Coordinates of all heavy atoms in Angstrom, one line a residue:
P26 N 15.7 -4.9 -26.9 CA 14.8 -4.5 -25.9 C 15.8 -4.0 -24.7 O 16.8 -4.5 -24.5 CB 14.1 -5.8 -25.5 CG 14.8 -6.9 -26.1 CD 15.6 -6.2 -27.2
P27 N 15.1 -3.1 -24.0 CA 16.0 -2.5 -22.8 C 16.1 -3.5 -21.8 O 15.3 -4.4 -21.5 CB 15.2 -1.4 -22.3 CG 13.9 -1.6 -22.8 CD 13.8 -2.4 -24.1
C28 N 17.2 -3.5 -21.1 CA 17.5 -4.4 -20.0 C 16.5 -4.1 -18.8 O 16.5 -2.9 -18.2 CB 18.9 -4.3 -19.5 SG 19.3 -5.4 -18.3
L29 N 15.8 -5.1 -18.3 CA 15.0 -4.8 -17.2 C 15.6 -5.0 -15.8 O 15.0 -4.8 -14.8 CB 13.7 -5.7 -17.4 CG 12.8 -5.5 -18.5 CD1 11.8 -6.6 -18.5 CD2 12.2 -4.1 -18.4
L30 N 16.9 -5.5 -15.8 CA 17.6 -6.0 -14.5 C 17.6 -4.7 -13.5 O 17.2 -4.8 -12.4 CB 18.9 -6.5 -14.8 CG 19.6 -6.9 -13.7 CD1 18.9 -8.1 -13.1 CD2 21.1 -7.5 -13.9
P31 N 18.0 -3.5 -14.0 CA 18.0 -2.4 -13.0 C 16.7 -2.1 -12.4 O 16.5 -1.8 -11.2 CB 18.4 -1.2 -13.8 CG 19.1 -1.8 -14.9 CD 18.5 -3.0 -15.2
Q32 N 15.6 -2.2 -13.3 CA 14.2 -2.0 -12.7 C 13.9 -3.1 -11.7 O 13.2 -2.8 -10.5 CB 13.1 -1.9 -13.7 CG 13.1 -0.7 -14.6 CD 12.2 -0.8 -15.8 OE1 12.6 -1.6 -16.7 NE2 11.1 -0.1 -15.7
F33 N 14.1 -4.3 -12.1 CA 13.9 -5.3 -11.1 C 14.6 -5.3 -9.9 O 14.1 -5.5 -8.8 CB 14.1 -6.7 -11.9 CG 13.8 -7.9 -11.1 CD1 12.5 -8.2 -10.8 CD2 14.7 -8.9 -10.6 CE1 12.1 -9.3 -10.1 CE2 14.5 -10.0 -9.9 CZ 13.1 -10.1 -9.6
L34 N 15.8 -4.9 -9.9 CA 16.7 -4.8 -8.6 C 16.1 -3.6 -7.7 O 16.0 -3.8 -6.6 CB 18.0 -4.6 -9.0 CG 19.0 -5.7 -9.6 CD1 20.4 -5.4 -10.1 CD2 18.8 -6.9 -8.7
G35 N 15.7 -2.6 -8.4 CA 15.1 -1.5 -7.8 C 13.8 -1.9 -7.0 O 13.4 -1.6 -5.9
Y36 N 13.0 -2.8 -7.7 CA 11.8 -3.3 -7.2 C 12.1 -4.1 -5.9 O 11.4 -4.1 -4.7 CB 11.0 -4.1 -8.2 CG 9.9 -5.1 -7.7 CD1 8.6 -4.5 -7.4 CD2 10.1 -6.4 -7.5 CE1 7.7 -5.3 -6.9 CE2 9.1 -7.3 -7.0 CZ 7.8 -6.6 -6.7 OH 6.8 -7.5 -6.2
L37 N 13.1 -5.0 -6.1 CA 13.4 -6.0 -4.9 C 14.0 -5.2 -3.7 O 13.6 -5.5 -2.7 CB 14.6 -6.9 -5.3 CG 14.1 -8.1 -6.3 CD1 15.3 -8.9 -6.7 CD2 12.9 -8.8 -5.7
R38 N 14.7 -4.1 -4.0 CA 15.2 -3.3 -2.9 C 14.1 -2.6 -2.2 O 14.1 -2.5 -0.8 CB 16.3 -2.3 -3.4 CG 17.6 -2.9 -3.6 CD 18.6 -1.8 -3.8 NE 18.5 -1.0 -5.0 CZ 19.1 -1.4 -6.2 NH1 19.7 -2.5 -6.3 NH2 18.8 -0.6 -7.3
A39 N 13.1 -2.1 -3.0 CA 11.9 -1.4 -2.4 C 11.2 -2.4 -1.6 O 10.8 -2.1 -0.4 CB 11.1 -0.9 -3.5
C40 N 10.8 -3.5 -2.0 CA 10.2 -4.5 -1.3 C 10.9 -5.0 -0.1 O 10.3 -5.0 1.0 CB 10.0 -5.9 -2.2 SG 8.8 -5.7 -3.5
D41 N 12.2 -5.2 -0.1 CA 13.1 -5.4 1.1 C 12.9 -4.3 2.1 O 12.8 -4.6 3.3 CB 14.5 -5.6 0.6 CG 15.3 -6.2 1.8 OD1 14.9 -7.3 2.4 OD2 16.4 -5.6 2.1
R42 N 12.9 -3.1 1.8 CA 12.8 -2.0 2.8 C 11.4 -2.0 3.3 O 11.3 -1.7 4.6 CB 13.0 -0.5 2.0 CG 14.5 -0.3 1.7 CD 14.7 1.1 1.4 NE 14.2 1.4 -0.1 CZ 14.9 1.2 -1.1 NH1 16.2 0.9 -1.0 NH2 14.4 1.5 -2.4
L43 N 10.5 -2.3 2.6 CA 9.0 -2.4 3.2 C 8.8 -3.6 4.1 O 8.2 -3.4 5.2 CB 8.0 -2.3 2.0 CG 7.9 -1.1 1.2 CD1 7.1 -1.4 0.0 CD2 7.3 0.0 2.2
L44 N 9.5 -4.8 3.8 CA 9.4 -5.9 4.5 C 10.1 -5.6 5.9 O 9.6 -6.1 7.0 CB 10.0 -7.1 3.9 CG 9.3 -7.7 2.6 CD1 10.1 -8.7 1.9 CD2 7.9 -8.2 3.2
K45 N 11.3 -4.9 5.9 CA 12.0 -4.6 7.2 C 11.2 -3.5 8.0 O 11.5 -3.6 9.2 CB 13.3 -3.9 6.7 CG 14.2 -5.0 6.3 CD 15.7 -4.4 6.0 CE 16.6 -5.5 5.5 NZ 17.7 -5.1 4.8
Q46 N 10.2 -2.9 7.5 CA 9.3 -2.2 8.3 C 8.2 -3.0 8.9 O 7.3 -2.4 9.6 CB 8.6 -1.0 7.4 CG 9.6 0.0 7.0 CD 9.0 1.0 6.1 OE1 7.8 1.5 6.3 NE2 9.7 1.5 5.0
G47 N 8.2 -4.2 8.7 CA 7.2 -5.2 9.3 C 6.0 -5.6 8.5 O 5.0 -6.3 9.1
Y48 N 6.0 -5.1 7.2 CA 4.7 -5.5 6.5 C 4.9 -6.9 5.9 O 6.1 -7.4 5.7 CB 4.6 -4.5 5.4 CG 4.4 -3.1 5.9 CD1 5.2 -2.1 5.6 CD2 3.1 -2.8 6.6 CE1 5.0 -0.8 5.9 CE2 3.0 -1.5 7.1 CZ 3.9 -0.4 6.7 OH 3.8 0.8 7.2
E49 N 3.8 -7.6 5.8 CA 3.8 -8.9 5.2 C 4.2 -9.0 3.7 O 3.7 -8.0 3.0 CB 2.4 -9.6 5.4 CG 2.0 -9.8 6.9 CD 0.5 -10.3 6.9 OE1 0.0 -10.9 6.0 OE2 -0.1 -10.0 8.1
E50 N 4.8 -10.0 3.3 CA 5.3 -10.0 1.9 C 4.3 -9.9 0.9 O 4.3 -9.2 -0.1 CB 6.0 -11.4 1.8 CG 6.8 -11.5 0.4 CD 7.6 -12.7 0.3 OE1 7.9 -13.4 1.2 OE2 8.1 -13.0 -0.9
G51 N 3.1 -10.7 1.1 CA 2.0 -10.6 0.2 C 1.3 -9.2 0.0 O 1.1 -8.7 -1.1
Q52 N 1.4 -8.6 1.2 CA 0.8 -7.2 1.1 C 1.7 -6.2 0.4 O 1.3 -5.4 -0.3 CB 0.6 -6.6 2.6 CG -0.7 -7.3 3.3 CD -0.9 -6.8 4.7 OE1 -0.1 -6.4 5.4 NE2 -2.2 -6.8 5.0
V53 N 3.1 -6.4 0.6 CA 4.0 -5.5 0.0 C 3.9 -5.7 -1.4 O 3.9 -4.7 -2.3 CB 5.4 -5.9 0.5 CG1 6.6 -5.2 -0.3 CG2 5.6 -5.4 1.9
E54 N 3.9 -6.9 -2.0 CA 3.9 -7.3 -3.4 C 2.6 -6.6 -4.0 O 2.6 -6.0 -5.0 CB 4.0 -8.8 -3.6 CG 5.4 -9.4 -3.4 CD 5.5 -10.8 -3.5 OE1 4.4 -11.4 -3.7 OE2 6.5 -11.4 -3.3
E55 N 1.4 -6.8 -3.3 CA 0.2 -6.3 -3.8 C 0.2 -4.8 -3.9 O -0.2 -4.2 -4.9 CB -0.9 -6.8 -3.0 CG -2.4 -6.4 -3.4 CD -3.5 -6.9 -2.5 OE1 -3.2 -7.0 -1.3 OE2 -4.6 -6.9 -2.9
A56 N 0.7 -4.1 -2.8 CA 0.8 -2.8 -2.9 C 1.6 -2.2 -3.9 O 1.4 -1.2 -4.6 CB 1.2 -2.2 -1.5
M57 N 2.7 -2.8 -4.1 CA 3.7 -2.3 -5.2 C 3.0 -2.5 -6.5 O 3.2 -1.6 -7.4 CB 5.0 -3.1 -5.2 CG 5.9 -2.9 -3.9 SD 6.6 -1.2 -4.0 CE 8.0 -1.6 -5.2
E58 N 2.3 -3.5 -6.8 CA 1.6 -3.6 -8.0 C 0.5 -2.6 -8.2 O 0.3 -2.0 -9.3 CB 1.1 -5.2 -8.1 CG 2.0 -6.2 -8.6 CD 1.4 -7.6 -8.7 OE1 0.3 -7.6 -9.1 OE2 2.0 -8.5 -8.3
M59 N -0.2 -2.4 -7.1 CA -1.3 -1.4 -7.2 C -0.9 -0.2 -7.5 O -1.7 0.6 -8.2 CB -2.2 -1.5 -5.8 CG -3.0 -2.7 -5.7 SD -3.9 -2.8 -4.2 CE -3.4 -1.6 -3.1
F60 N 0.2 0.3 -7.1 CA 0.8 1.7 -7.3 C 1.9 1.7 -8.3 O 2.9 2.5 -8.2 CB 1.1 2.2 -6.0 CG 0.0 2.5 -5.1 CD1 -0.3 1.6 -4.1 CD2 -0.9 3.5 -5.3 CE1 -1.5 1.7 -3.3 CE2 -2.1 3.7 -4.5 CZ -2.3 2.8 -3.4
Q61 N 1.9 0.9 -9.4 CA 2.8 0.8 -10.4 C 4.3 0.8 -9.9 O 5.0 1.6 -10.4 CB 2.6 1.9 -11.5 CG 1.5 1.6 -12.4 CD 0.2 2.2 -12.1 OE1 0.2 3.4 -11.8 NE2 -1.0 1.5 -12.3
Y62 N 4.6 0.2 -8.7 CA 6.0 0.0 -8.3 C 6.4 1.2 -7.7 O 7.6 1.5 -7.6 CB 6.9 -0.7 -9.3 CG 6.2 -1.9 -10.0 CD1 5.7 -1.9 -11.2 CD2 6.1 -3.0 -9.1 CE1 5.2 -3.2 -11.6 CE2 5.6 -4.2 -9.5 CZ 5.1 -4.2 -10.9 OH 4.5 -5.4 -11.4
S63 N 5.6 2.1 -7.3 CA 6.0 3.3 -6.5 C 6.3 2.9 -5.1 O 5.1 2.7 -4.5 CB 4.9 4.4 -6.7 OG 5.3 5.4 -5.6
E64 N 7.4 2.9 -4.6 CA 7.6 2.6 -3.2 C 6.9 3.6 -2.3 O 6.5 3.1 -1.1 CB 9.2 2.6 -2.9 CG 9.5 2.2 -1.5 CD 11.0 2.1 -1.2 OE1 11.8 2.4 -2.1 OE2 11.3 1.9 -0.1
K65 N 7.0 4.9 -2.6 CA 6.4 5.9 -1.7 C 4.9 5.7 -1.5 O 4.4 5.7 -0.4 CB 6.7 7.2 -2.3 CG 6.2 8.5 -1.4 CD 6.5 9.7 -2.1 CE 6.1 10.8 -1.4 NZ 4.7 11.3 -1.4
K66 N 4.3 5.5 -2.6 CA 2.8 5.2 -2.6 C 2.4 3.9 -2.0 O 1.5 3.9 -1.2 CB 2.1 5.3 -4.0 CG 2.0 6.8 -4.5 CD 1.4 6.7 -5.9 CE 1.4 8.1 -6.4 NZ 0.8 8.2 -7.7
A67 N 3.2 2.9 -2.2 CA 3.0 1.5 -1.5 C 3.2 1.7 0.0 O 2.4 1.1 0.8 CB 3.9 0.5 -2.1
A68 N 4.2 2.4 0.4 CA 4.5 2.6 1.9 C 3.4 3.3 2.4 O 2.9 3.0 3.6 CB 5.8 3.3 2.1
E69 N 2.8 4.5 1.9 CA 1.7 5.2 2.4 C 0.5 4.2 2.6 O -0.1 4.3 3.6 CB 1.4 6.3 1.4 CG 2.2 7.5 1.4 CD 1.9 8.5 0.3 OE1 0.9 8.2 -0.6 OE2 2.6 9.5 0.2
F70 N 0.3 3.4 1.4 CA -0.9 2.6 1.5 C -0.8 1.5 2.7 O -1.6 1.3 3.4 CB -0.9 1.8 0.1 CG -2.0 0.7 0.1 CD1 -3.3 1.1 -0.1 CD2 -1.7 -0.6 0.4 CE1 -4.3 0.0 -0.1 CE2 -2.7 -1.6 0.3 CZ -4.1 -1.3 0.0
L71 N 0.4 0.8 2.8 CA 0.6 -0.1 3.9 C 0.5 0.5 5.2 O -0.2 -0.2 6.2 CB 2.0 -0.8 3.6 CG 2.1 -1.6 2.3 CD1 3.5 -2.1 2.0 CD2 1.2 -3.0 2.5
H72 N 1.0 1.7 5.4 CA 0.9 2.4 6.7 C -0.6 2.7 7.0 O -1.0 2.4 8.2 CB 1.7 3.7 6.6 CG 1.5 4.5 7.9 ND1 2.2 4.2 9.0 CD2 0.9 5.7 8.2 CE1 1.9 5.1 9.9 NE2 1.2 6.0 9.4
L73 N -1.3 3.2 6.2 CA -2.8 3.5 6.4 C -3.5 2.2 6.6 O -4.4 2.1 7.4 CB -3.4 4.3 5.2 CG -2.8 5.8 5.2 CD1 -3.2 6.4 3.8 CD2 -3.2 6.5 6.5
L74 N -3.2 1.2 5.7 CA -3.9 -0.1 5.8 C -3.7 -0.6 7.3 O -4.8 -1.1 7.9 CB -3.3 -1.1 4.9 CG -3.9 -2.4 4.8 CD1 -5.4 -2.4 4.4 CD2 -3.2 -3.4 3.9
A75 N -2.5 -0.6 7.9 CA -2.3 -1.1 9.2 C -3.1 -0.3 10.2 O -3.7 -0.8 11.1 CB -0.8 -1.1 9.5
Q76 N -3.1 1.2 10.0 CA -3.7 2.0 10.9 C -5.2 1.7 11.0 O -5.7 1.6 12.1 CB -3.5 3.5 10.6 CG -2.4 4.1 11.1 CD -2.4 5.6 10.9 OE1 -3.2 6.1 10.1 NE2 -1.6 6.4 11.5
F77 N -5.8 1.7 9.8 CA -7.3 1.3 9.8 C -7.7 0.1 10.3 O -8.7 -0.2 10.9 CB -7.9 1.8 8.4 CG -7.7 3.1 8.0 CD1 -7.5 3.6 6.8 CD2 -7.9 4.2 9.0 CE1 -7.4 4.8 6.3 CE2 -7.8 5.5 8.5 CZ -7.5 5.8 7.3
N78 N -6.7 -1.0 10.1 CA -6.8 -2.3 10.4 C -7.1 -2.3 12.0 O -7.9 -3.0 12.6 CB -5.9 -3.1 9.9 CG -6.2 -4.6 9.8 OD1 -7.5 -5.0 9.6 ND2 -5.3 -5.5 9.6
D79 N -6.0 -1.5 12.6 CA -6.0 -1.5 14.0 C -7.2 -0.8 14.6 O -7.6 -1.1 15.8 CB -4.7 -0.7 14.6 CG -3.4 -1.5 14.3 OD1 -3.5 -2.7 14.0 OD2 -2.4 -0.7 14.4
M80 N -7.8 0.0 14.0 CA -9.1 0.7 14.3 C -10.4 -0.2 14.2 O -11.4 0.0 14.7 CB -9.4 1.9 13.4 CG -8.5 3.0 13.7 SD -8.9 4.5 12.6 CE -7.5 5.5 12.7
G81 N -10.0 -1.4 13.6 CA -11.2 -2.5 13.5 C -11.9 -2.5 12.2 O -12.9 -3.3 12.0
F82 N -11.5 -1.8 11.2 CA -12.1 -1.9 9.9 C -11.7 -3.1 9.1 O -10.6 -3.7 9.5 CB -11.9 -0.7 9.0 CG -12.4 0.6 9.5 CD1 -11.6 1.5 10.1 CD2 -13.8 0.9 9.6 CE1 -11.9 2.7 10.7 CE2 -14.2 2.1 10.0 CZ -13.3 3.0 10.6
Q83 N -12.5 -3.5 8.2 CA -12.2 -4.8 7.4 C -11.2 -4.5 6.4 O -11.4 -3.4 5.6 CB -13.5 -5.4 6.7 CG -14.7 -5.8 7.7 CD -14.0 -7.0 8.6 OE1 -13.5 -8.0 8.0 NE2 -14.4 -6.9 9.8
Q84 N -10.3 -5.4 6.2 CA -9.1 -5.1 5.4 C -9.5 -5.0 3.9 O -9.1 -4.0 3.2 CB -8.1 -6.3 5.3 CG -6.8 -5.8 4.9 CD -5.7 -6.8 5.4 OE1 -5.8 -8.0 5.2 NE2 -4.7 -6.2 6.0
N85 N -10.5 -5.7 3.3 CA -11.0 -5.5 1.9 C -11.7 -4.1 1.7 O -11.5 -3.5 0.7 CB -11.9 -6.6 1.5 CG -13.1 -6.9 2.4 OD1 -13.1 -6.5 3.6 ND2 -14.0 -7.6 1.9
E86 N -12.4 -3.7 2.8 CA -13.0 -2.4 2.6 C -12.0 -1.2 2.7 O -12.1 -0.4 1.9 CB -14.0 -2.1 3.9 CG -15.2 -3.0 3.9 CD -16.2 -2.8 5.0 OE1 -15.9 -1.8 5.9 OE2 -17.1 -3.6 5.2
I87 N -11.0 -1.4 3.5 CA -10.0 -0.5 3.7 C -9.2 -0.3 2.3 O -8.8 0.8 1.9 CB -8.9 -0.8 4.8 CG1 -9.5 -0.9 6.2 CG2 -7.7 0.2 4.8 CD1 -8.5 -1.6 7.1
K88 N -8.8 -1.5 1.8 CA -8.1 -1.5 0.4 C -8.9 -0.7 -0.6 O -8.4 0.2 -1.4 CB -7.8 -2.9 -0.1 CG -6.7 -3.6 0.7 CD -6.6 -4.9 0.0 CE -5.6 -5.7 0.8 NZ -5.5 -7.1 0.3
E89 N -10.2 -1.0 -0.7 CA -11.1 -0.4 -1.7 C -11.1 1.2 -1.5 O -10.8 2.0 -2.3 CB -12.4 -1.0 -1.6 CG -13.4 -0.7 -2.7 CD -14.8 -1.3 -2.5 OE1 -14.8 -2.5 -2.3 OE2 -15.8 -0.6 -2.5
V90 N -11.3 1.6 -0.2 CA -11.5 3.0 0.2 C -10.1 3.8 -0.1 O -10.2 4.9 -0.7 CB -11.9 3.1 1.6 CG1 -11.7 4.6 2.0 CG2 -13.5 2.8 1.7
L91 N -9.0 3.2 0.2 CA -7.7 3.8 0.1 C -7.5 4.0 -1.5 O -6.8 4.9 -1.8 CB -6.5 3.0 0.8 CG -6.5 3.1 2.2 CD1 -5.4 2.2 2.8 CD2 -6.2 4.5 2.6
L92 N -7.7 3.0 -2.3 CA -7.6 3.1 -3.8 C -8.5 4.3 -4.3 O -7.9 5.2 -5.1 CB -7.9 1.8 -4.4 CG -6.8 0.9 -4.5 CD1 -7.2 -0.5 -5.1 CD2 -5.6 1.4 -5.2
L93 N -9.7 4.3 -3.8 CA -10.7 5.3 -4.3 C -10.2 6.8 -3.9 O -10.3 7.7 -4.6 CB -12.1 5.1 -3.8 CG -12.9 4.0 -4.4 CD1 -14.2 3.8 -3.5 CD2 -13.1 4.4 -5.9
C94 N -9.7 6.9 -2.7 CA -9.3 8.1 -2.1 C -7.8 8.4 -2.3 O -7.2 9.3 -1.8 CB -9.6 8.1 -0.6 SG -11.3 8.0 -0.2
E95 N -7.2 7.5 -3.0 CA -5.8 7.8 -3.4 C -4.9 8.0 -2.1 O -4.0 8.9 -2.1 CB -5.6 8.8 -4.4 CG -6.2 8.7 -5.8 CD -6.2 9.7 -6.8 OE1 -5.7 10.8 -6.3 OE2 -6.7 9.6 -7.8
N96 N -5.0 7.2 -1.1 CA -4.3 7.1 0.1 C -4.5 8.5 0.8 O -3.6 8.8 1.7 CB -2.8 7.0 -0.2 CG -2.4 5.5 -0.5 OD1 -3.1 4.7 -0.4 ND2 -1.2 5.5 -1.1
H97 N -5.6 9.2 0.6 CA -5.8 10.5 1.4 C -6.5 10.0 2.7 O -7.7 9.6 2.8 CB -6.7 11.4 0.6 CG -6.8 12.7 1.2 ND1 -7.6 13.0 2.3 CD2 -6.3 13.9 0.9 CE1 -7.5 14.2 2.6 NE2 -6.7 14.8 1.7
R98 N -5.7 10.2 3.8 CA -6.1 9.6 5.1 C -7.5 10.0 5.6 O -8.4 9.3 6.0 CB -5.0 9.9 6.2 CG -5.4 9.2 7.5 CD -4.3 9.6 8.6 NE -4.5 8.8 9.8 CZ -5.5 9.0 10.6 NH1 -6.4 9.8 10.5 NH2 -5.5 8.2 11.7
E99 N -7.6 11.4 5.6 CA -9.0 11.9 6.0 C -10.1 11.6 5.3 O -11.3 11.1 5.9 CB -8.9 13.5 6.2 CG -8.1 14.0 7.4 CD -6.5 13.7 7.1 OE1 -6.1 13.8 6.0 OE2 -5.8 13.5 8.1
K100 N -10.1 11.6 4.1 CA -11.2 11.2 3.0 C -11.5 9.7 3.3 O -12.6 9.3 3.2 CB -10.7 11.3 1.7 CG -10.9 12.9 1.0 CD -10.8 12.7 -0.5 CE -10.3 14.0 -1.0 NZ -9.8 13.9 -2.4
A101 N -10.3 8.9 3.4 CA -10.6 7.4 3.5 C -11.3 7.2 4.9 O -12.2 6.3 5.0 CB -9.2 6.7 3.4
L102 N -10.8 7.7 5.9 CA -11.5 7.5 7.1 C -12.8 7.9 7.2 O -13.8 7.2 7.7 CB -10.7 8.3 8.3 CG -11.2 8.0 9.6 CD1 -11.0 6.6 10.1 CD2 -10.3 8.8 10.7
E103 N -13.2 9.1 6.7 CA -14.7 9.4 6.5 C -15.4 8.4 5.7 O -16.6 8.3 6.1 CB -14.7 10.9 5.7 CG -15.8 11.8 6.0 CD -15.6 13.1 5.3 OE1 -14.8 13.8 5.7 OE2 -16.4 13.3 4.3
E104 N -15.0 8.0 4.7 CA -15.6 7.1 3.8 C -15.8 5.7 4.6 O -16.9 5.1 4.6 CB -14.7 6.7 2.5 CG -15.4 5.9 1.5 CD -16.5 6.7 0.8 OE1 -16.4 8.0 0.6 OE2 -17.6 6.0 0.4
L105 N -14.8 5.2 5.3 CA -15.0 4.0 6.2 C -15.9 4.3 7.2 O -16.7 3.2 7.6 CB -13.6 3.7 6.7 CG -12.7 3.1 5.7 CD1 -11.2 3.0 6.4 CD2 -13.1 1.6 5.4
M106 N -16.0 5.4 7.9 CA -16.9 5.6 9.0 C -18.4 5.7 8.4 O -19.3 5.3 9.3 CB -16.7 7.0 9.5 CG -15.2 7.1 10.2 SD -15.1 6.1 11.7 CE -15.5 7.3 12.9
T107 N -18.7 6.0 7.2 CA -19.9 6.1 6.7 C -20.4 4.7 6.1 O -21.7 4.6 5.8 CB -20.2 7.2 5.6 OG1 -19.3 6.9 4.5 CG2 -19.9 8.5 6.1
Q108 N -19.5 3.7 6.0 CA -20.1 2.4 5.4 C -20.7 1.7 6.4 O -20.4 1.6 7.6 CB -18.8 1.7 4.9 CG -18.2 2.2 3.6 CD -17.2 1.4 3.0 OE1 -16.8 0.4 3.6 NE2 -16.7 1.7 1.9

């Protein structure tokens, strides 16, 4: 079987970079899992989650909408406004 260590170390480094941006550990881990360990997509998700949270939307609704809209900010905002 292939060695998973390089992948695991990459995951840890990505999580560390996201944590240093001020995101919570649980949210970082969840975002990384949701986006198949894509740091770029996880970072987009976390950024939008924080933005929409600051606007007063409920976190569970934000997560659902961002997943449906694939992190597309305008689509997600439109969807949240109509809920």
Side-chain angles (χ1 to χ4, degrees):
C28 180
L29 296 176
L30 189 60
Q32 284 175 292
F33 183 66
L34 290 174
Y36 167 80
L37 290 178
R38 280 193 295 271
C40 287
D41 190 52
R42 282 190 290 270
L43 292 169
L44 289 169
K45 283 181 177 155
Q46 290 177 42
Y48 299 115
E49 293 173 24
E50 189 172 350
Q52 287 184 329
V53 167
E54 289 172 1
E55 184 181 26
M57 287 291 282
E58 281 180 38
M59 286 181 348
F60 294 99
Q61 279 102 42
Y62 308 108
S63 163
E64 181 182 357
K65 183 178 184 284
K66 287 183 180 178
E69 286 171 0
F70 173 83
L71 291 166
H72 175 73
L73 291 170
L74 181 67
Q76 261 189 356
F77 292 146
N78 208 20
D79 288 346
M80 291 179 189
F82 295 107
Q83 296 297 314
Q84 204 160 50
N85 56 337
E86 288 175 9
I87 300 168
K88 285 180 186 179
E89 191 179 308
V90 166
L91 285 174
L92 277 174
L93 284 173
C94 298
E95 297 175 356
N96 287 345
H97 191 281
R98 188 185 189 285
E99 285 72 30
K100 275 191 210 170
L102 186 56
E103 206 174 291
E104 192 68 34
L105 286 166
M106 300 289 266
T107 59
Q108 284 187 1

